[in-house]
Amino acid sequence: MPAPATGPAAAPVNPRSRVLIASLMGTTIEFYDFYIYATAAVLVFPKLFFPSSDPTTALLSSFAVFGAAMVARPIGAVFFGHLGDRLGRKKTLVVSLLTMGVATFLIGVLPTYAQVGWVATALLVLMRLAQGFALGGEWSGAALVATENAPKGKRALYGTFPQLGAPLGFIIGNGLFLIIGAVLPSSAGADPTQPSEAFANWGWRIPFLFSAVMVAIGLWVRSRLVESAVFARTRESGKVRKLPLATVVQGHWRQLILGTFIMLATYVLFYLMTTFSLSYGRTAKDAAVPGLGYSYTTFVLMMIFGVLFFAVFTLVSGPLADKYGRRATLIWITAAIVVFGLVWVPLIGLGTLGVVLWLVLGFTLMGMTFGPMGALLPELFPTSVRYTGSGISYNVSSILGAAVAPFIAVALWEAGDGSPWLVGVYLSAMAVLTLIALLLGKETKHVSLDEADGVSEADGVNDAESPAPAAGTHAPAASPAP
């Protein structure tokens, strides 16, 4: 159990079960919202909101709006990071989740282009930007709830619980789409890769409306949290910053850059395996830009099978990162991602078995690289700017690795005349950049989250400064710095 804060104003400690559920619930909703938008962006949004005589152009337009949310995420990271580092983690997480839930629900009631013209497209863009803005503060807050309340030696394990929201959100979101697709199947003789008319008219709205139920549950869980003892001690000692953004840019710019590129391969792999693969897998073999030609239901079931490995290896990665270190674990996994990107075509060329193996390997590597990030990114920054710093790194990487990934992948797929070999090379190239960042960085396994700049839990001494205060004492109060 994490040691309670000392002093008369000490905050009560969150039960471990509450910490894990609260961090898991929010990110599950976050990724659920992502997946249902990504799925709709492939299945129906090109026709409903971006009509075009060229299907590829409509698809790219749909992905462009998908990417617009990624651009809004760093702005949200700055806004919610400021609130989280100034007011605390709990209040900020409640506000970000509520904002995200309202935006997602409203997408489910939007009129289409056929009904109100460009206004429908503009409203979709606005709601997508609101989603991205809210998501900018969601992940870092959930990761901090997990890691700042973790027992000694288990921070990476606890950090995998917010990460576990990604596979769970995928299974819930795509499972719901599968159920709706089964209830509203394509008519006899219709293209099995295309949704039915009823699905396109109103069926796709159900997952967006259902998000309101999940958000309500998430808000209830988070409302029962108390502030982390780590942040409470920072606030008591007068180390809360007036302008966390200025502090993190001026004093921790190197960690910002390294954190951004350490996340790069993870983001590219994630969006290729979840968004591009769905488009590639269900595109007909005789299309202008040929794909694998699977029906939507068949391919999503194959993806869900792969995502099970995503979930398992996300949890497996935590104990490995706690034992061997975050950096060492991720160096090996990132090297494996480089190799994986180069064997896409040989794997897919093996037929259905090869496609399943491609999905399983991709999602396994995704779990292994994504899991340790829940601990590593927060460990790069001191408590007073941890929400801001980890959030900016995570979300700026979303622009470099996620906002452009679907767009680049479709362009490379088209350039390869239907072969995804260039897409695989793109993944490998981004993984090389992540590998360089990891080699330039330092191990964070023994960094204490209670101290500002890299105090080792093993020796209690700051690498660059003076010894840490003895247990039960605080450093002299300092005036809030910008």
Side-chain angles (χ1 to χ4, degrees), residues 251-329:
H252 306 279
W253 59 268
R254 186 174 184 272
Q255 291 95 318
L256 281 176
I257 296 173
L258 287 177
T260 297
F261 281 93
I262 285 172
M263 270 297 302
L264 183 62
T266 302
Y267 259 123
V268 174
L269 177 61
F270 179 71
Y271 287 87
L272 291 183
M273 297 309 300
T274 57
T275 303
F276 168 76
S277 65
L278 179 60
S279 181
Y280 174 63
R282 54 179 290 277
T283 298
K285 293 182 178 180
D286 58 354
V289 181
L292 296 176
Y294 290 98
S295 70
Y296 168 74
T297 299
T298 299
F299 195 76
V300 170
L301 287 173
M302 293 163 65
M303 292 177 71
I304 289 176
F305 178 71
V307 169
L308 295 176
F309 289 82
F310 183 2
V312 169
F313 282 93
T314 295
L315 292 176
V316 167
S317 70
L320 291 177
D322 277 327
K323 182 176 181 179
Y324 299 108
R326 294 77 160 114
R327 179 173 175 268
T329 301

Side-chain angles (χ1 to χ4, degrees), residues 155-186:
R155 205 157 57 212
L157 174 60
Y158 270 52
T160 61
F161 276 81
Q163 313 301 75
L164 192 59
L168 290 181
F170 182 96
I171 292 171
I172 296 171
N174 283 279
L176 186 53
F177 265 115
L178 280 179
I179 293 172
I180 297 169
V183 175
L184 305 173
S186 297

Side-chain angles (χ1 to χ4, degrees), residues 92-399:
T92 306
L93 280 171
V94 170
V95 174
S96 66
L97 183 59
L98 185 60
T99 304
M100 178 174 58
V102 170
T104 303
F105 180 84
L106 289 178
I107 290 177
V109 298
L110 287 180
T112 65
Y113 186 91
Q115 294 171 316
V116 295
W118 64 268
V119 174
T121 305
L123 289 174
L124 179 63
V125 172
L126 181 62
M127 292 303 101
R128 189 63 183 146
L129 289 173
Q131 274 189 323
F133 180 78
L135 294 180
E138 171 58 38
W139 177 86
S140 51
L144 265 56
V145 165
T147 56
E148 288 185 347
N149 288 281
K152 183 178 179 180
K154 294 185 178 181
R155 205 157 57 212
L157 174 60
Y158 270 52
T160 61
F161 276 81
Q163 313 301 75
L164 192 59
L168 290 181
F170 182 96
I171 292 171
I172 296 171
N174 283 279
L176 186 53
F177 265 115
L178 280 179
I179 293 172
I180 297 169
V183 175
L184 305 173
S186 297
S187 58
D191 183 351
T193 66
Q194 301 300 320
S196 67
E197 184 176 349
F199 184 97
N201 287 339
W202 57 270
W204 66 270
R205 299 179 184 273
I206 296 174
F208 291 92
L209 301 178
F210 178 72
S211 69
V213 176
M214 298 183 64
V215 169
I217 297 172
L219 289 173
W220 178 77
V221 172
R222 286 186 171 178
S223 68
R224 303 181 68 215
L225 285 173
V226 295
E227 196 55 75
S228 72
V230 171
F231 180 79
R233 285 192 287 271
T234 296
R235 183 163 49 195
E236 290 171 21
S237 63
K239 293 181 180 178
V240 172
R241 307 290 178 168
K242 289 183 179 179
L243 295 174
L245 176 62
T247 301
V248 80
V249 170
Q250 293 173 6
H252 306 279
W253 59 268
R254 186 174 184 272
Q255 291 95 318
L256 281 176
I257 296 173
L258 287 177
T260 297
F261 281 93
I262 285 172
M263 270 297 302
L264 183 62
T266 302
Y267 259 123
V268 174
L269 177 61
F270 179 71
Y271 287 87
L272 291 183
M273 297 309 300
T274 57
T275 303
F276 168 76
S277 65
L278 179 60
S279 181
Y280 174 63
R282 54 179 290 277
T283 298
K285 293 182 178 180
D286 58 354
V289 181
L292 296 176
Y294 290 98
S295 70
Y296 168 74
T297 299
T298 299
F299 195 76
V300 170
L301 287 173
M302 293 163 65
M303 292 177 71
I304 289 176
F305 178 71
V307 169
L308 295 176
F309 289 82
F310 183 2
V312 169
F313 282 93
T314 295
L315 292 176
V316 167
S317 70
L320 291 177
D322 277 327
K323 182 176 181 179
Y324 299 108
R326 294 77 160 114
R327 179 173 175 268
T329 301
L330 286 169
I331 284 174
W332 284 104
I333 297 304
T334 305
I337 293 173
V338 174
V339 175
F340 173 68
L342 300 177
V343 298
W344 275 30
V345 171
L347 283 174
I348 294 171
L350 296 176
T352 297
L353 178 62
V355 173
V356 172
L357 183 59
W358 170 58
L359 292 170
V360 167
L361 287 175
F363 281 117
T364 295
L365 290 172
M366 183 60 219
M368 292 295 290
T369 186
F370 193 49
M373 296 298 175
L376 188 153
L377 293 184
E379 289 167 350
L380 292 176
F381 303 94
T383 305
S384 59
V385 295
R386 185 171 297 132
Y387 206 126
T388 300
S390 61
I392 291 176
S393 292
Y394 183 84
N395 289 291
V396 169
S397 189
S398 77
I399 296 178

Side-chain angles (χ1 to χ4, degrees), residues 381-443:
F381 303 94
T383 305
S384 59
V385 295
R386 185 171 297 132
Y387 206 126
T388 300
S390 61
I392 291 176
S393 292
Y394 183 84
N395 289 291
V396 169
S397 189
S398 77
I399 296 178
L400 302 179
V404 299
F407 190 88
I408 291 175
V410 171
L412 292 176
W413 173 28
E414 193 170 28
D417 295 325
S419 171
W421 74 274
L422 286 173
V423 183
V425 171
Y426 164 61
L427 170 62
S428 296
M430 297 301 101
V432 168
L433 293 178
T434 289
L435 196 56
I436 293 172
L438 287 166
L439 293 172
L440 292 174
K442 296 180 180 180
E443 181 55 60

